[in-house]
Amino acid sequence: MQRRVTGLTAAVAALSMTALLAGCSGGSGDSGDVTLELVAADYGDSSANSSKKYWDALSKKFEAEHPGIKIDVTVLPWTDVDREVKEMVEDGKAPDLAQIGAYADYAAQDKLYSADDLLSIPTQADFLAPLSKAGEVNRVQYGMPFAASTRLLFFNEKLFKSAGIEPPESWSELQAAAQKLKARGVKIPYALPLGPEEAQAETMQWLLSGGGGYTDNVGSYDIDAKTNVTTFKWLKDELVGKGLTGPTQPGKLNRAEAFAAFTRGDVGMLNGHPTLMQMAAKKGLKYGMVPMPGINGKAQSTMGVADWMMAFKQNGHRKEVGEFLNFVYSTENVLDFSREYDLLPVTTSASQAMSEDKEDSEKLGQFLEELPASQLYPVDKTSWAQVSVQVKKYIGKTVDENGNPEAILGQIEAKARAEENAR
Protein backbone atom coordinates (compact mmCIF):
# COMPACT_ATOMS: atom_id res chain seq x y z
CA MET A 1 0.00 0.00 0.00
CA GLN A 2 1.24 3.54 -0.61
CA ARG A 3 2.24 4.88 2.76
CA ARG A 4 2.70 8.33 4.13
CA VAL A 5 6.31 8.93 5.11
CA THR A 6 6.92 9.64 8.74
CA GLY A 7 8.10 13.02 9.91
CA LEU A 8 10.55 11.51 12.39
CA THR A 9 14.11 12.46 11.69
CA ALA A 10 16.71 9.98 10.57
CA ALA A 11 18.55 10.57 13.82
CA VAL A 12 15.56 9.51 15.90
CA ALA A 13 15.05 6.43 13.76
CA ALA A 14 18.72 5.54 14.10
CA LEU A 15 18.62 5.88 17.87
CA SER A 16 15.49 3.72 18.00
CA MET A 17 17.16 1.03 15.93
CA THR A 18 20.25 1.11 18.12
CA ALA A 19 18.10 0.54 21.18
CA LEU A 20 16.25 -2.25 19.41
CA LEU A 21 19.38 -4.07 18.37
CA ALA A 22 20.73 -3.81 21.90
CA GLY A 23 17.69 -5.62 23.25
CA CYS A 24 16.96 -7.92 20.35
CA SER A 25 17.87 -11.08 22.21
CA GLY A 26 14.44 -10.89 23.85
CA GLY A 27 15.99 -11.71 27.19
CA SER A 28 14.43 -11.30 30.60
CA GLY A 29 14.73 -8.20 32.74
CA ASP A 30 15.52 -8.11 36.44
CA SER A 31 11.92 -9.05 37.24
CA GLY A 32 12.00 -12.10 34.98
CA ASP A 33 9.59 -10.51 32.51
CA VAL A 34 9.64 -11.58 28.86
CA THR A 35 10.26 -8.65 26.54
CA LEU A 36 8.84 -8.89 23.03
CA GLU A 37 10.56 -6.81 20.37
CA LEU A 38 8.26 -5.34 17.72
CA VAL A 39 9.42 -3.40 14.66
CA ALA A 40 6.54 -1.53 13.01
CA ALA A 41 6.04 0.79 10.06
CA ASP A 42 4.96 4.38 10.53
CA TYR A 43 1.65 5.40 8.95
CA GLY A 44 1.80 8.97 10.20
CA ASP A 45 2.93 11.97 8.19
CA SER A 46 4.53 13.83 11.11
CA SER A 47 5.73 13.25 14.65
CA ALA A 48 2.32 14.43 15.86
CA ASN A 49 0.52 11.38 14.47
CA SER A 50 3.35 8.87 14.32
CA SER A 51 2.33 5.24 14.76
CA LYS A 52 4.68 5.24 17.75
CA LYS A 53 1.89 6.89 19.75
CA TYR A 54 -0.57 4.16 18.78
CA TRP A 55 1.81 1.34 19.68
CA ASP A 56 2.94 2.96 22.95
CA ALA A 57 -0.65 3.34 24.12
CA LEU A 58 -1.56 -0.17 23.01
CA SER A 59 1.50 -1.68 24.67
CA LYS A 60 0.83 0.13 27.93
CA LYS A 61 -2.74 -1.19 27.99
CA PHE A 62 -1.58 -4.73 27.16
CA GLU A 63 1.13 -4.75 29.81
CA ALA A 64 -1.35 -3.64 32.46
CA GLU A 65 -3.54 -6.65 31.63
CA HIS A 66 -0.67 -9.12 31.12
CA PRO A 67 1.92 -8.81 33.90
CA GLY A 68 5.11 -10.57 32.99
CA ILE A 69 5.13 -9.51 29.31
CA LYS A 70 6.77 -6.28 28.17
CA ILE A 71 6.52 -4.81 24.65
CA ASP A 72 9.49 -2.92 23.21
CA VAL A 73 8.40 -1.12 20.04
CA THR A 74 10.51 0.54 17.38
CA VAL A 75 8.63 2.46 14.68
CA LEU A 76 10.48 3.26 11.46
CA PRO A 77 9.60 5.05 8.20
CA TRP A 78 8.29 2.94 5.33
CA THR A 79 11.37 3.94 3.39
CA ASP A 80 13.52 2.04 5.92
CA VAL A 81 11.51 -0.55 7.80
CA ASP A 82 11.52 -3.47 5.33
CA ARG A 83 15.25 -3.11 4.75
CA GLU A 84 16.03 -2.79 8.46
CA VAL A 85 14.08 -5.93 9.34
CA LYS A 86 15.78 -7.84 6.54
CA GLU A 87 19.20 -6.81 7.84
CA MET A 88 18.25 -7.79 11.39
CA VAL A 89 17.17 -11.25 10.23
CA GLU A 90 20.33 -11.70 8.17
CA ASP A 91 22.42 -10.73 11.21
CA GLY A 92 20.68 -13.37 13.32
CA LYS A 93 18.88 -10.73 15.40
CA ALA A 94 15.29 -11.11 14.23
CA PRO A 95 12.66 -9.27 16.26
CA ASP A 96 9.82 -11.24 17.78
CA LEU A 97 7.33 -9.36 15.62
CA ALA A 98 7.50 -7.24 12.48
CA GLN A 99 4.71 -5.19 10.93
CA ILE A 100 5.98 -4.50 7.43
CA GLY A 101 5.16 -4.89 3.74
CA ALA A 102 6.01 -8.50 2.86
CA TYR A 103 6.23 -11.83 4.61
CA ALA A 104 6.63 -14.56 1.96
CA ASP A 105 10.43 -14.65 1.85
CA TYR A 106 10.63 -15.24 5.60
CA ALA A 107 7.92 -17.90 5.46
CA ALA A 108 9.75 -19.71 2.66
CA GLN A 109 12.89 -19.73 4.84
CA ASP A 110 10.90 -21.31 7.72
CA LYS A 111 11.61 -18.34 9.96
CA LEU A 112 8.00 -17.55 10.91
CA TYR A 113 5.38 -18.98 13.21
CA SER A 114 2.16 -19.81 11.41
CA ALA A 115 -1.02 -18.04 12.43
CA ASP A 116 -2.25 -21.42 13.74
CA ASP A 117 0.68 -21.44 16.17
CA LEU A 118 -0.27 -18.07 17.63
CA LEU A 119 -3.89 -17.05 17.33
CA SER A 120 -7.06 -18.30 18.92
CA ILE A 121 -9.58 -19.82 16.52
CA PRO A 122 -11.98 -16.83 16.83
CA THR A 123 -9.18 -14.33 16.17
CA GLN A 124 -7.87 -16.13 13.10
CA ALA A 125 -11.38 -16.74 11.74
CA ASP A 126 -12.15 -13.02 12.07
CA PHE A 127 -9.74 -12.00 9.31
CA LEU A 128 -11.48 -11.02 6.09
CA ALA A 129 -11.32 -13.97 3.73
CA PRO A 130 -9.37 -12.40 0.81
CA LEU A 131 -6.78 -11.00 3.22
CA SER A 132 -6.41 -14.26 5.12
CA LYS A 133 -5.92 -16.18 1.88
CA ALA A 134 -3.35 -13.67 0.66
CA GLY A 135 -1.35 -14.39 3.82
CA GLU A 136 -0.90 -18.07 2.95
CA VAL A 137 2.12 -19.90 1.59
CA ASN A 138 1.38 -23.48 0.55
CA ARG A 139 -2.07 -23.14 2.19
CA VAL A 140 -0.61 -22.23 5.59
CA GLN A 141 -1.14 -18.71 6.88
CA TYR A 142 2.03 -16.93 7.96
CA GLY A 143 1.17 -13.35 7.05
CA MET A 144 -1.43 -11.76 9.30
CA PRO A 145 -3.07 -8.74 7.62
CA PHE A 146 -2.66 -5.56 9.62
CA ALA A 147 -3.88 -2.70 7.41
CA ALA A 148 -5.87 -2.71 4.19
CA SER A 149 -7.00 -0.41 1.42
CA THR A 150 -8.93 -0.57 -1.84
CA ARG A 151 -9.21 1.73 -4.85
CA LEU A 152 -12.06 3.80 -6.29
CA LEU A 153 -12.31 6.15 -9.24
CA PHE A 154 -12.20 9.73 -7.92
CA PHE A 155 -13.65 12.54 -10.02
CA ASN A 156 -13.71 16.33 -9.69
CA GLU A 157 -17.37 17.23 -9.08
CA LYS A 158 -17.03 20.83 -10.27
CA LEU A 159 -15.39 19.83 -13.56
CA PHE A 160 -17.92 17.05 -14.18
CA LYS A 161 -20.86 19.35 -13.43
CA SER A 162 -19.59 22.12 -15.69
CA ALA A 163 -19.08 19.61 -18.52
CA GLY A 164 -22.52 18.08 -17.95
CA ILE A 165 -21.23 14.53 -17.52
CA GLU A 166 -22.05 11.70 -15.16
CA PRO A 167 -19.51 9.38 -13.47
CA PRO A 168 -18.51 6.66 -15.97
CA GLU A 169 -19.51 3.02 -15.57
CA SER A 170 -17.67 1.59 -18.58
CA TRP A 171 -14.51 2.22 -20.56
CA SER A 172 -16.42 3.90 -23.38
CA GLU A 173 -18.13 6.22 -20.89
CA LEU A 174 -14.77 7.00 -19.26
CA GLN A 175 -13.32 7.89 -22.65
CA ALA A 176 -16.34 10.03 -23.55
CA ALA A 177 -16.09 11.86 -20.22
CA ALA A 178 -12.38 12.47 -20.75
CA GLN A 179 -13.05 13.87 -24.22
CA LYS A 180 -15.60 16.34 -22.87
CA LEU A 181 -13.22 17.39 -20.11
CA LYS A 182 -10.44 17.92 -22.64
CA ALA A 183 -12.75 20.01 -24.84
CA ARG A 184 -13.37 22.29 -21.84
CA GLY A 185 -9.65 22.80 -21.30
CA VAL A 186 -9.05 20.39 -18.41
CA LYS A 187 -5.30 19.81 -18.28
CA ILE A 188 -5.42 16.11 -17.36
CA PRO A 189 -8.79 14.52 -18.15
CA TYR A 190 -7.66 11.15 -16.78
CA ALA A 191 -4.43 10.78 -14.80
CA LEU A 192 -2.64 7.51 -15.65
CA PRO A 193 0.36 7.21 -13.28
CA LEU A 194 2.52 4.43 -14.70
CA GLY A 195 5.73 5.95 -13.36
CA PRO A 196 8.08 4.01 -11.09
CA GLU A 197 6.54 5.05 -7.77
CA GLU A 198 3.45 2.82 -7.83
CA ALA A 199 2.95 1.64 -11.41
CA GLN A 200 2.14 -1.87 -10.20
CA ALA A 201 -1.03 -0.57 -8.53
CA GLU A 202 -2.44 1.40 -11.48
CA THR A 203 -1.53 -1.55 -13.71
CA MET A 204 -3.37 -4.06 -11.55
CA GLN A 205 -6.46 -1.87 -11.31
CA TRP A 206 -6.68 -1.71 -15.10
CA LEU A 207 -5.91 -5.41 -15.54
CA LEU A 208 -8.77 -6.28 -13.19
CA SER A 209 -11.15 -3.89 -14.91
CA GLY A 210 -10.35 -5.67 -18.16
CA GLY A 211 -11.11 -9.08 -16.69
CA GLY A 212 -7.49 -10.11 -16.23
CA GLY A 213 -4.80 -9.79 -13.58
CA TYR A 214 -1.21 -10.64 -12.79
CA THR A 215 -2.03 -14.34 -12.33
CA ASP A 216 -4.47 -16.87 -13.74
CA ASN A 217 -7.10 -18.89 -11.89
CA VAL A 218 -4.53 -21.31 -10.47
CA GLY A 219 -2.13 -18.62 -9.30
CA SER A 220 0.48 -18.80 -12.06
CA TYR A 221 1.80 -15.61 -13.62
CA ASP A 222 -0.24 -14.68 -16.70
CA ILE A 223 0.84 -11.11 -17.31
CA ASP A 224 0.76 -11.36 -21.12
CA ALA A 225 -2.74 -12.92 -21.24
CA LYS A 226 -4.90 -11.78 -24.16
CA THR A 227 -7.21 -9.87 -21.84
CA ASN A 228 -4.26 -7.93 -20.42
CA VAL A 229 -2.89 -7.17 -23.87
CA THR A 230 -6.33 -5.93 -24.93
CA THR A 231 -6.48 -3.66 -21.87
CA PHE A 232 -3.17 -1.96 -22.59
CA LYS A 233 -3.87 -1.64 -26.31
CA TRP A 234 -7.07 0.20 -25.36
CA LEU A 235 -5.19 2.47 -22.96
CA LYS A 236 -2.56 3.19 -25.60
CA ASP A 237 -4.96 3.85 -28.47
CA GLU A 238 -8.11 5.19 -26.81
CA LEU A 239 -6.79 7.24 -23.88
CA VAL A 240 -3.12 8.11 -24.30
CA GLY A 241 -3.23 8.16 -28.10
CA LYS A 242 -6.17 10.56 -28.09
CA GLY A 243 -4.44 12.99 -25.74
CA LEU A 244 -6.72 12.29 -22.77
CA THR A 245 -4.03 11.66 -20.13
CA GLY A 246 -2.36 15.05 -20.03
CA PRO A 247 1.01 16.41 -21.17
CA THR A 248 3.21 14.08 -19.08
CA GLN A 249 3.90 10.62 -20.49
CA PRO A 250 2.22 8.05 -18.19
CA GLY A 251 5.53 6.23 -17.75
CA LYS A 252 6.96 9.39 -16.19
CA LEU A 253 3.96 10.28 -14.03
CA ASN A 254 4.09 9.12 -10.41
CA ARG A 255 1.08 8.59 -8.16
CA ALA A 256 2.09 11.37 -5.75
CA GLU A 257 2.25 13.86 -8.63
CA ALA A 258 -1.12 12.71 -9.94
CA PHE A 259 -2.71 13.07 -6.50
CA ALA A 260 -1.25 16.55 -6.07
CA ALA A 261 -2.54 17.59 -9.51
CA PHE A 262 -6.00 16.29 -8.59
CA THR A 263 -6.10 18.39 -5.42
CA ARG A 264 -5.08 21.45 -7.48
CA GLY A 265 -8.08 20.91 -9.76
CA ASP A 266 -5.99 19.95 -12.80
CA VAL A 267 -7.28 16.36 -13.04
CA GLY A 268 -10.76 15.25 -14.04
CA MET A 269 -10.53 11.68 -12.71
CA LEU A 270 -8.06 9.10 -11.45
CA ASN A 271 -7.83 5.97 -9.33
CA GLY A 272 -7.27 6.71 -5.64
CA HIS A 273 -7.26 5.30 -2.12
CA PRO A 274 -8.56 6.78 1.16
CA THR A 275 -5.53 9.04 1.67
CA LEU A 276 -6.62 11.09 -1.32
CA MET A 277 -9.80 12.04 0.56
CA GLN A 278 -7.77 13.78 3.25
CA MET A 279 -5.59 15.53 0.67
CA ALA A 280 -8.59 16.79 -1.29
CA ALA A 281 -10.42 17.92 1.85
CA LYS A 282 -7.43 19.98 2.96
CA LYS A 283 -7.56 21.83 -0.37
CA GLY A 284 -11.32 22.27 -0.22
CA LEU A 285 -11.81 20.30 -3.42
CA LYS A 286 -15.19 18.64 -3.89
CA TYR A 287 -14.94 15.16 -5.31
CA GLY A 288 -17.00 12.05 -5.90
CA MET A 289 -16.04 8.38 -5.91
CA VAL A 290 -17.38 5.44 -7.91
CA PRO A 291 -16.22 1.87 -8.55
CA MET A 292 -13.67 1.45 -11.33
CA PRO A 293 -15.37 1.10 -14.74
CA GLY A 294 -14.96 -2.16 -16.64
CA ILE A 295 -15.08 -2.87 -20.36
CA ASN A 296 -18.88 -2.95 -20.52
CA GLY A 297 -19.85 -1.91 -16.99
CA LYS A 298 -18.59 -1.90 -13.43
CA ALA A 299 -15.41 -3.96 -13.03
CA GLN A 300 -16.05 -7.36 -11.42
CA SER A 301 -13.39 -6.75 -8.78
CA THR A 302 -11.12 -4.01 -7.55
CA MET A 303 -7.60 -4.03 -6.24
CA GLY A 304 -6.99 -4.55 -2.55
CA VAL A 305 -3.74 -3.83 -0.76
CA ALA A 306 -2.61 -5.13 2.62
CA ASP A 307 0.37 -4.72 4.95
CA TRP A 308 1.41 -7.58 7.18
CA MET A 309 2.20 -8.65 10.71
CA MET A 310 4.54 -11.62 11.16
CA ALA A 311 6.16 -13.40 14.09
CA PHE A 312 9.70 -14.79 13.97
CA LYS A 313 10.54 -18.08 15.66
CA GLN A 314 14.14 -17.20 16.56
CA ASN A 315 13.52 -15.99 20.12
CA GLY A 316 11.05 -18.74 20.98
CA HIS A 317 8.34 -16.59 22.58
CA ARG A 318 5.40 -18.28 20.89
CA LYS A 319 3.05 -18.16 23.89
CA GLU A 320 3.72 -14.51 24.73
CA VAL A 321 3.57 -13.43 21.07
CA GLY A 322 0.23 -15.20 20.74
CA GLU A 323 -1.18 -13.40 23.78
CA PHE A 324 -0.10 -10.05 22.38
CA LEU A 325 -1.48 -10.68 18.88
CA ASN A 326 -4.84 -11.86 20.16
CA PHE A 327 -4.96 -8.53 22.02
CA VAL A 328 -3.81 -6.51 18.97
CA TYR A 329 -6.56 -7.97 16.81
CA SER A 330 -9.44 -7.22 19.16
CA THR A 331 -12.24 -5.32 17.46
CA GLU A 332 -11.58 -2.20 19.54
CA ASN A 333 -7.88 -2.06 18.73
CA VAL A 334 -8.33 -2.75 15.02
CA LEU A 335 -10.91 0.04 14.84
CA ASP A 336 -8.68 2.49 16.70
CA PHE A 337 -5.84 2.01 14.21
CA SER A 338 -8.09 2.08 11.13
CA ARG A 339 -9.79 5.29 12.22
CA GLU A 340 -6.53 7.00 13.08
CA TYR A 341 -5.06 6.51 9.59
CA ASP A 342 -8.17 6.25 7.36
CA LEU A 343 -7.43 2.63 6.55
CA LEU A 344 -9.78 -0.32 6.27
CA PRO A 345 -10.13 -2.86 9.08
CA VAL A 346 -8.72 -6.31 8.35
CA THR A 347 -11.28 -8.18 10.47
CA THR A 348 -14.94 -8.94 9.87
CA SER A 349 -16.02 -7.70 13.29
CA ALA A 350 -14.27 -4.34 12.93
CA SER A 351 -15.49 -3.92 9.35
CA GLN A 352 -19.06 -4.53 10.47
CA ALA A 353 -18.69 -2.06 13.33
CA MET A 354 -17.29 0.56 10.97
CA SER A 355 -20.11 -0.04 8.47
CA GLU A 356 -22.69 0.47 11.20
CA ASP A 357 -21.11 3.71 12.45
CA LYS A 358 -22.57 6.71 10.60
CA GLU A 359 -19.38 8.79 10.58
CA ASP A 360 -17.17 5.87 9.54
CA SER A 361 -19.62 4.77 6.88
CA GLU A 362 -19.86 8.22 5.33
CA LYS A 363 -16.09 8.44 5.11
CA LEU A 364 -15.00 4.92 4.15
CA GLY A 365 -18.21 3.05 3.34
CA GLN A 366 -17.57 2.80 -0.40
CA PHE A 367 -14.07 1.45 0.15
CA LEU A 368 -15.41 -1.06 2.68
CA GLU A 369 -17.95 -2.34 0.15
CA GLU A 370 -15.19 -3.11 -2.32
CA LEU A 371 -12.87 -4.93 0.10
CA PRO A 372 -14.60 -8.36 0.42
CA ALA A 373 -14.42 -8.97 -3.34
CA SER A 374 -11.06 -7.30 -3.88
CA GLN A 375 -8.00 -9.01 -5.29
CA LEU A 376 -4.54 -8.47 -3.86
CA TYR A 377 -1.10 -8.55 -5.35
CA PRO A 378 0.32 -12.11 -5.48
CA VAL A 379 2.16 -11.44 -2.21
CA ASP A 380 2.32 -15.15 -1.41
CA LYS A 381 4.94 -15.49 -4.14
CA THR A 382 8.50 -14.89 -3.01
CA SER A 383 9.19 -13.66 -6.56
CA TRP A 384 6.60 -10.87 -6.40
CA ALA A 385 8.97 -8.20 -5.13
CA GLN A 386 11.22 -8.61 -8.16
CA VAL A 387 8.29 -8.91 -10.57
CA SER A 388 6.90 -5.66 -9.17
CA VAL A 389 10.22 -3.98 -9.98
CA GLN A 390 9.92 -5.15 -13.59
CA VAL A 391 6.39 -3.78 -13.85
CA LYS A 392 7.50 -0.41 -12.49
CA LYS A 393 10.41 -0.32 -14.93
CA TYR A 394 8.69 -1.31 -18.16
CA ILE A 395 4.88 -1.00 -18.01
CA GLY A 396 4.84 2.69 -18.92
CA LYS A 397 6.45 1.86 -22.27
CA THR A 398 3.34 -0.08 -23.34
CA VAL A 399 1.39 3.14 -23.91
CA ASP A 400 4.16 5.19 -25.54
CA GLU A 401 3.53 6.32 -29.10
CA ASN A 402 5.64 3.47 -30.47
CA GLY A 403 4.91 1.07 -27.62
CA ASN A 404 4.02 -2.56 -28.21
CA PRO A 405 1.82 -3.81 -25.36
CA GLU A 406 1.97 -7.45 -26.44
CA ALA A 407 5.77 -7.50 -26.65
CA ILE A 408 6.37 -5.61 -23.41
CA LEU A 409 3.86 -7.63 -21.40
CA GLY A 410 5.46 -10.75 -22.83
CA GLN A 411 8.87 -9.50 -21.70
CA ILE A 412 7.62 -8.90 -18.17
CA GLU A 413 5.92 -12.31 -18.14
CA ALA A 414 9.13 -14.07 -19.22
CA LYS A 415 11.10 -12.41 -16.44
CA ALA A 416 8.36 -13.22 -13.93
CA ARG A 417 8.41 -16.92 -14.83
CA ALA A 418 12.20 -17.00 -14.71
CA GLU A 419 12.21 -15.37 -11.29
CA GLU A 420 9.54 -17.77 -10.02
CA ASN A 421 11.39 -20.84 -11.33
CA ALA A 422 14.62 -19.68 -9.70
CA ARG A 423 13.04 -19.75 -6.23
Side-chain angles (χ1 to χ4, degrees):
M1 154 184 326
Q2 272 311 112
R3 299 106 177 169
R4 291 164 283 183
V5 179
T6 179
L8 296 177
T9 64
V12 172
L15 287 172
S16 297
M17 181 52 67
T18 300
L20 174 66
L21 291 175
C24 203
S25 64
S28 301
D30 293 337
S31 64
D33 292 340
V34 169
T35 298
L36 300 180
E37 308 291 346
L38 166 64
V39 181
D42 199 334
Y43 290 81
D45 55 14
S46 69
S47 58
N49 71 340
S50 169
S51 297
K52 186 73 163 64
K53 291 187 175 181
Y54 170 82
W55 285 114
D56 284 349
L58 187 72
S59 298
K60 184 177 181 180
K61 186 166 61 171
F62 173 80
E63 290 171 357
E65 298 179 14
H66 298 78
I69 306 176
K70 302 294 183 183
I71 310 298
D72 186 3
V73 183
T74 297
V75 172
L76 295 172
W78 272 109
T79 51
D80 301 331
V81 68
D82 287 280
R83 184 191 72 252
E84 294 282 5
V85 170
K86 181 180 179 182
E87 291 176 357
M88 292 169 67
V89 174
E90 290 175 348
D91 290 342
K93 299 176 180 178
D96 295 284
L97 293 150
Q99 187 272 298
I100 53 179
Y103 69 88
D105 274 347
Y106 302 123
Q109 297 168 35
D110 194 31
K111 294 183 180 295
L112 302 180
Y113 287 115
S114 71
D116 291 336
D117 292 331
L118 303 166
L119 302 178
S120 69
I121 292 175
T123 297
Q124 189 174 1
D126 199 24
F127 289 132
L128 291 167
L131 304 181
S132 182
K133 183 175 177 57
E136 296 179 357
V137 173
N138 296 325
R139 299 185 179 181
V140 177
Q141 185 180 359
Y142 296 96
M144 291 161 280
F146 185 75
S149 177
T150 55
R151 299 292 192 268
L152 291 171
L153 183 73
F154 283 67
F155 62 93
N156 183 309
E157 286 188 344
K158 181 179 179 180
L159 295 179
F160 267 55
K161 184 177 181 179
S162 64
I165 52 181
E166 296 294 325
E169 296 182 356
S170 66
W171 287 3
S172 60
E173 290 181 5
L174 186 148
Q175 183 197 51
Q179 288 173 328
K180 290 183 178 180
L181 292 168
K182 180 182 179 182
R184 296 185 66 84
V186 175
K187 187 175 181 180
I188 308 173
Y190 178 84
L192 183 65
L194 296 177
E197 179 192 357
E198 205 192 15
Q200 80 283 3
E202 184 73 12
T203 296
M204 184 169 177
Q205 187 62 69
W206 276 99
L207 295 182
L208 292 173
S209 75
Y214 284 120
T215 58
D216 59 21
N217 292 334
V218 296
S220 300
Y221 284 119
D222 199 20
I223 298 169
D224 61 348
K226 289 183 179 180
T227 51
N228 295 341
V229 173
T230 297
T231 294
F232 272 87
K233 283 184 176 179
W234 187 87
L235 287 172
K236 176 180 182 294
D237 298 335
E238 303 301 327
L239 279 189
V240 181
K242 294 187 184 301
L244 303 177
T245 55
T248 303
Q249 292 180 350
K252 296 181 179 179
L253 179 66
N254 283 325
R255 180 204 57 80
E257 296 162 359
F259 277 19
F262 181 76
T263 64
R264 292 195 303 268
D266 292 337
V267 175
M269 49 189 159
L270 80 170
N271 284 318
H273 52 68
T275 300
L276 184 54
M277 296 189 302
Q278 288 186 343
M279 296 174 63
K282 288 179 180 178
K283 295 288 186 176
L285 185 139
K286 293 184 178 181
Y287 60 90
M289 302 179 296
V290 293
M292 177 67 180
I295 296 178
N296 298 310
K298 177 186 173 183
Q300 294 183 353
S301 62
T302 189
M303 183 185 71
V305 181
D307 299 322
W308 303 95
M309 178 73 75
M310 63 213 69
F312 289 89
K313 296 192 290 187
Q314 179 176 322
N315 298 322
H317 295 147
R318 183 186 65 81
K319 178 178 179 293
E320 292 83 2
V321 167
E323 289 186 47
F324 181 59
L325 289 178
N326 280 297
F327 180 82
V328 166
Y329 284 108
S330 71
T331 302
E332 177 186 357
N333 291 329
V334 172
L335 280 172
D336 285 347
F337 182 84
S338 300
R339 286 166 172 160
E340 177 67 26
Y341 297 106
D342 281 344
L343 293 166
L344 304 183
V346 296
T347 63
T348 301
S349 60
S351 294
Q352 183 176 349
M354 185 171 278
S355 297
E356 294 172 352
D357 183 273
K358 183 178 180 181
E359 184 176 347
D360 288 336
S361 184
E362 288 178 352
K363 181 184 291 187
L364 295 170
Q366 289 179 267
F367 291 97
L368 284 168
E369 289 176 7
E370 297 294 315
L371 187 57
S374 66
Q375 293 190 32
L376 281 73
Y377 299 130
V379 290
D380 59 322
K381 292 180 174 293
T382 57
S383 59
W384 169 243
Q386 291 304 314
V387 173
S388 177
V389 170
Q390 295 299 313
V391 173
K392 292 178 181 180
K393 186 174 181 179
Y394 294 109
I395 200 67
K397 300 180 185 297
T398 60
V399 296
D400 285 349
E401 182 178 358
N402 298 316
N404 185 328
E406 186 171 13
I408 294 171
L409 290 174
Q411 174 186 340
I412 298 173
E413 168 72 13
K415 292 188 176 183
R417 289 185 179 273
E419 186 69 31
E420 181 73 0
N421 292 334
R423 299 274 166 166

